[in-house]
Amino acid sequence: MANSLLHIDKHVSYIQSLDTRKDRLDYHLTSHLRLSGVYWGLTALHLLNHPTALPRDATIEFVKSCQHPNGGFGASPGHDAHILYTLSAIQILATVDALGSVSKTNVVSYVAGLQDKDTGCFAGDEWGEMDTRFIYCALSTLSLLGELKNPAIDVPKAISYILQCLNPDGGFGMAPSAESHAGQIFTCVGALVIAGVLKEEMSPDQIDLLGDWLCERQLPNGGLNGRPEKLEDVCYSWWVLSSLAMIEKLHWIDRDKLVEFILSCQDDEQGGIADRKGDMADVFHTVFGVAGLSLLGYEGLKEVDPVYCMPKEITESVLNGYKLV
C-alpha cells in the first residue's frame, strides 16, 4: 500500500520548501499565519528527528522581528500583537533554546494585560475577543517562561472560568453554555493540567464522561472529527488524542485505524499531510498529523508533549530548569 509508511524525508523537504515560495500568491495570502507556520514546521521537523533542518539564527531573528512594542508578537513583522502568535513565538524560542533572546518581562506584561479582571478569561488581543483558547495560550506562555505564579496573573480565576465551560455531555466549549468542541477541550484540559488542578477540579466520573465524548469522535474510516456529525480531519488526530492522553484514556480509540487514516492523507510526491485524503497538503495538518502519530507511538518519531505540542524532551528541559532555580 502506497501510504503504509510515513514519508519522513519528503515531509522534511516539503517544510523546508515553504519559505522559498515567495513568488506565489498563497505565500502572501497566508502572512497572517506566518509565525504560527514557523512553529508548526519547526515542531514537525523536531518530531521527525530533523531538528536542524531550518536555520536557527534566521528563525530567531524572524521571531524577534514579529515582536510588537507592547511585548506581544504578531503573525508577521508589522502585524498587530495577538496572544496566539505570542505563544507560537515562545514555543519556537523554547524549541531552539533562545528564550533569553527576548524580554520576559515585556511578554509577561502583555499577557497579563489581556486578562479580564471580572471573569478571569483572556482576550486574544487589544480588541477584546474572549475565548477559552486564549486562557490556554496565556497559561502555556507563562509556564514556558517560568512565570505561571506571577502575581500579575489570576490563575485561579482563569480556571474558574474554564470550569464554567464544562458541558453536561462531558466536553468543553469556548464560553459558558457554548457547544463542546474537540479543539476547545484541548485548550481547557491543557490549561487545567498546566495549572496542576485537573484531578482536583474534575472527578473520575467527569473524566470518564469526557473520555467517552472524545473517543466517540472516531469515525468508521479511522479518522477523528471535532464534534458530532462532522467530517474527519487529520488535525483532530492532535486535538482529540492529546486530550485523551492528558486524561490517560488514549487506549480508548482504535490506534491502527487512526494511523492508517493519517498515513492515507500524505502527499506521496511532494510531501506534507492534508486534512483528508486527496486534498492539498499544508503545514498545519502536517504537524498535527505527525504529532498524532507520535502520540500513538509511531516508530521513528520523537515523543510529543500532549500539553504543549512540542517535543517532550524540550518541554521537560525548560520546565525542569525553572524548578531548579
Side-chain angles (χ1 to χ4, degrees):
M1 191 169 77
N3 286 312
S4 60
L5 295 174
L6 183 66
H7 305 320
I8 292 178
D9 291 342
K10 290 182 179 180
H11 297 324
V12 171
S13 296
Y14 165 74
I15 294 167
Q16 288 177 313
S17 75
L18 293 175
D19 201 46
T20 67
R21 304 180 180 187
K22 297 179 182 178
D23 59 336
R24 290 174 40 162
L25 178 61
D26 60 347
Y27 179 89
H28 299 282
L29 291 178
T30 56
S31 64
H32 65 294
L33 298 172
R34 190 77 68 235
L35 190 56
S36 288
V38 174
Y39 154 67
W40 296 329
L42 181 68
T43 300
L45 289 170
H46 274 256
L47 297 178
L48 291 165
N49 279 293
H50 284 73
T52 62
L54 293 183
R56 180 177 183 271
D57 290 346
T59 299
I60 294 169
E61 287 308 308
F62 176 73
V63 172
K64 291 169 66 176
S65 74
C66 295
Q67 189 166 26
H68 194 272
N70 64 10
F73 291 79
S76 293
H79 285 223
D80 289 345
H82 195 286
I83 200 165
L84 288 171
Y85 304 115
T86 300
L87 173 58
S88 292
I90 297 306
Q91 289 172 310
I92 294 167
L93 295 177
T95 300
V96 300
D97 192 21
L99 283 174
S101 65
V102 295
S103 168
K104 180 164 64 173
T105 300
N106 290 347
V107 177
V108 172
S109 176
Y110 170 73
V111 173
L114 294 173
Q115 187 172 29
D116 181 78
K117 303 308 178 187
D118 294 326
T119 65
C121 194
F122 283 79
D125 56 23
E126 62 180 306
W127 309 111
E129 178 191 12
M130 293 193 187
D131 187 326
T132 49
R133 289 176 300 164
F134 307 145
I135 297 178
Y136 169 80
C137 289
L139 299 191
S140 185
T141 298
L142 293 168
S143 65
L144 289 171
L145 292 172
E147 293 288 331
L148 196 59
K149 295 183 179 180
N150 191 300
I153 313 294
D154 191 337
V155 174
K157 186 161 277 190
I159 296 304
S160 176
Y161 185 87
I162 284 175
L163 295 172
Q164 295 173 50
C165 301
L166 180 60
N167 289 321
D169 63 7
F172 290 86
M174 64 183 290
S177 301
E179 177 187 14
S180 294
H181 187 282
Q184 305 296 151
I185 289 171
F186 164 78
T187 63
C188 291
V189 174
L192 293 173
V193 172
I194 290 171
V197 298
L198 175 66
K199 293 185 178 179
E200 175 184 325
E201 297 291 355
M202 292 187 68
S203 70
D205 286 345
Q206 288 175 316
I207 289 176
D208 283 350
L209 184 60
L210 173 57
D212 285 339
W213 192 95
L214 289 166
C215 71
E216 287 172 359
R217 304 280 60 77
Q218 189 163 34
L219 301 179
N221 66 0
L224 302 168
N225 63 18
R227 50 199 166 115
E229 306 301 325
K230 296 296 181 179
L231 292 175
E232 70 284 353
D233 187 319
V234 160
C235 73
Y236 293 111
S237 303
W238 171 255
W239 308 117
V240 173
L241 283 188
S242 58
S243 298
L244 284 169
M246 285 188 279
I247 63 172
E248 301 175 349
K249 308 292 183 188
L250 196 55
H251 57 289
W252 283 15
I253 55 98
D254 187 325
R255 176 197 181 276
D256 292 343
K257 291 195 70 172
L258 180 54
V259 168
E260 182 180 349
F261 169 74
I262 297 172
L263 295 178
S264 75
C265 298
Q266 298 178 100
D267 184 325
D268 293 334
E269 297 180 0
Q270 302 298 321
I273 300 175
D275 56 348
R276 55 187 66 89
K277 186 177 181 179
D279 288 352
M280 182 175 292
D282 60 73
V283 67
F284 175 86
H285 289 92
T286 300
V287 67
F288 292 129
V290 172
L293 290 172
S294 174
L295 283 174
L296 294 170
Y298 190 88
E299 186 177 358
L301 297 179
K302 287 282 189 182
E303 184 178 1
V304 69
D305 190 316
V307 182
Y308 294 92
C309 196
M310 294 168 57
K312 193 167 185 178
E313 62 184 11
I314 290 175
T315 58
E316 288 181 344
S317 175
V318 170
L319 299 175
N320 287 336
Y322 295 126
K323 292 176 182 177
L324 297 174
V325 173

